[in-house]
Amino acid sequence: MTLPKKIFDRKTNLQFKNTLITGPKRVGKTFLVFNFLKNFKGKYKYIDFSDYKEKNFDFSDVDLVIFDNFDFSAPIPPITTFIITNENINIEGFEKIELNGLDFEEFFAFENGANINQIFDKFLRLGNFPRIFNEEYFKDEYLKETFELLPYNKKILAFFFSHIGEKFTLYQIYQILKKEMKISKDSFYKEVNNLIKNRVIFELNKFNSPKSPKKFYSYNFAFKNILTNKKNIQYTFENIIFLEMNKKNIFYKDTLTFYLPEEERGILVLPFANEEVVEEKLKKVTDVKKIDVITISNEFEVDNKNFEVEVIPFARWTFAE
């Protein structure tokens, strides 16, 4: 196996021990292994289980085995092994890494010194797949190719990717989709559970109201661009910010885009906010100690007697996080 010419460092790094790397397609799981291999001095064997070629399972002369797209059709060898899979599973004796696409700080580092506004515009348009830096033809063609490769019902996928940030119950979505396709309620719920389990989509609950409609976000917000002509910078921007924070305990409220109860902190996502809009929104907010108002580029001061308020451009906010 020949390593790609361009291999960028991620925030997550591999160690020489049994490791399970999970995540949806194209988030950079295999490239994470490539990043490890560029400095690895031992002998390794790479086997891709999606390849139809005959496989050689003789590991007597290697120090490391890499199973990509592993399907459990072969035993795990008794030497150090990296296992790469799209399924969010666990394997006893393996450290687990749940990989996401690039966050903005990684994307910015990959761009190597370009203007931050230009970089954010590219991030917004093209999404967070690491491979865009190795694909000249990327843009829509690469997104379409990836969408087709995702092993899920395409109508269900398209609905969630097209409606990021909007509020629905799963029953409402089922009622909409059953008019367009033949599917049972059980099959629909099973498919959605798989999408959530494998982190292709994320659901966000309303605080202290688990039966209320949920917000749904995509693991790559740019899929929306190839599925609908309805552009909505608000929801796309929300999706970007959600992915920056989704490892935290996070909810939404009627008055807040996101709410972090442990920190008593609220997030208002307002791409093009001005002082009047912010002040009107803040009148409805209670039970927080701090509000972050995240914009694309605007920045100004707001006085508030009830809690701390910071209006901050996304690039500065994400680096501070």
Side-chain angles (χ1 to χ4, degrees):
M1 178 182 64
T2 303
L3 298 182
K5 293 180 181 179
K6 291 182 180 180
I7 303 177
F8 299 95
D9 292 331
R10 298 288 301 268
K11 288 181 178 178
T12 302
N13 293 304
L14 295 175
Q15 304 297 319
F16 184 61
K17 56 185 175 183
N18 286 347
T19 307
L20 170 67
I21 307 159
T22 72
K25 281 187 177 294
R26 302 276 167 83
V27 296
K29 300 184 296 295
T30 304
F31 270 71
L32 190 68
V33 173
F34 291 164
N35 193 58
F36 174 86
L37 293 177
K38 70 182 182 182
N39 296 313
F40 183 60
K41 303 302 181 185
K43 293 182 179 179
Y44 65 87
K45 178 172 284 188
Y46 172 87
I47 297 176
D48 186 348
F49 282 75
S50 67
D51 193 333
Y52 292 109
K53 295 177 184 175
E54 185 178 356
K55 298 169 181 61
N56 179 357
F57 294 110
D58 179 6
F59 307 121
S60 57
D61 62 342
V62 299
D63 307 295
L64 171 67
V65 174
I66 301 149
F67 283 166
D68 204 347
N69 297 299
F70 188 50
D71 60 8
F72 291 93
S73 61
I76 299 172
I79 58 176
T80 303
T81 305
F82 293 162
I83 291 178
I84 304 167
T85 175
N86 300 323
E87 297 291 322
N88 194 7
I89 59 174
N90 296 287
I91 299 177
E92 186 176 353
F94 277 69
E95 178 179 305
K96 182 178 180 180
I97 293 176
E98 296 183 359
L99 196 65
N100 295 317
L102 300 176
D103 64 23
F104 183 68
E105 190 173 359
E106 290 175 313
F107 193 95
F108 182 82
F110 283 21
E111 279 289 345
N112 193 24
N115 178 276
I116 193 166
N117 292 328
Q118 293 175 344
I119 294 174
F120 179 71
D121 180 64
K122 184 174 181 179
F123 189 57
L124 194 65
R125 288 184 295 106
L126 301 185
N128 59 0
F129 288 151
R131 199 171 169 184
I132 67 169
F133 297 94
N134 291 81
E135 296 287 350
E136 293 180 3
Y137 71 93
F138 178 64
K139 298 189 179 179
D140 287 354
E141 291 78 7
Y142 188 58
L143 283 169
K144 290 173 185 175
E145 176 189 316
T146 305
F147 180 79
E148 290 301 324
L149 288 172
L150 289 170
Y152 306 101
N153 182 289
K154 294 302 183 289
K155 283 190 176 292
I156 295 175
L157 263 185
F159 183 91
F160 282 105
F161 288 169
S162 299
H163 293 85
I164 55 176
E166 299 180 42
K167 298 173 186 174
F168 293 96
T169 65
L170 289 181
Y171 182 73
Q172 286 173 329
I173 298 172
Y174 170 68
Q175 290 295 319
I176 293 169
L177 288 177
K178 78 173 187 178
K179 296 175 182 177
E180 303 176 7
M181 58 187 292
K182 201 170 184 178
I183 188 169
S184 70
K185 187 187 292 186
D186 287 345
S187 297
F188 169 75
Y189 277 87
K190 182 179 179 180
E191 185 77 349
V192 173
N193 286 336
N194 280 333
L195 290 171
I196 293 170
K197 172 192 168 187
N198 294 323
R199 306 192 326 278
V200 176
I201 62 170
F202 301 88
E203 62 176 353
L204 183 67
N205 286 311
K206 186 176 182 180
F207 184 65
N208 281 344
S209 186
K211 293 185 178 180
S212 292
K214 304 174 188 297
K215 290 184 178 183
F216 294 92
Y217 295 103
S218 166
Y219 83 104
N220 189 334
F221 45 86
F223 280 123
K224 183 179 175 74
N225 296 335
I226 63 164
L227 295 169
T228 177
N229 291 320
K230 296 177 181 178
K231 307 302 180 185
N232 189 310
I233 185 65
Q234 173 68 37
Y235 291 144
T236 302
F237 198 34
E238 280 186 27
N239 202 143
I240 290 171
I241 292 167
F242 174 84
L243 292 175
E244 298 280 327
M245 299 192 302
N246 74 336
K247 292 184 179 179
K248 298 184 178 184
N249 188 28
I250 183 173
F251 301 88
Y252 79 88
K253 284 187 168 187
D254 290 334
T255 56
L256 293 166
T257 314
F258 302 117
Y259 176 58
L260 293 79
E262 285 90 351
E263 302 176 30
E264 295 181 80
R265 178 162 67 114
I267 305 287
L268 281 172
V269 178
L270 300 171
F272 308 108
N274 56 40
E275 294 181 41
E276 292 76 15
V277 169
V278 170
E279 288 174 357
E280 190 62 32
K281 293 279 187 184
L282 294 178
K283 290 177 183 178
K284 303 173 185 177
V285 178
T286 59
D287 301 325
V288 294
K289 289 184 176 178
K290 184 183 179 185
I291 295 283
D292 292 337
V293 181
I294 306 174
T295 71
I296 288 179
S297 59
N298 294 349
E299 185 173 10
F300 47 85
E301 292 186 3
V302 175
D303 292 324
N304 190 286
K305 297 178 181 179
N306 299 316
F307 39 76
E308 180 185 351
V309 179
E310 184 174 16
V311 181
I312 183 170
F314 169 74
R316 193 157 69 82
W317 173 83
T318 191
F319 288 127
E321 284 287 302

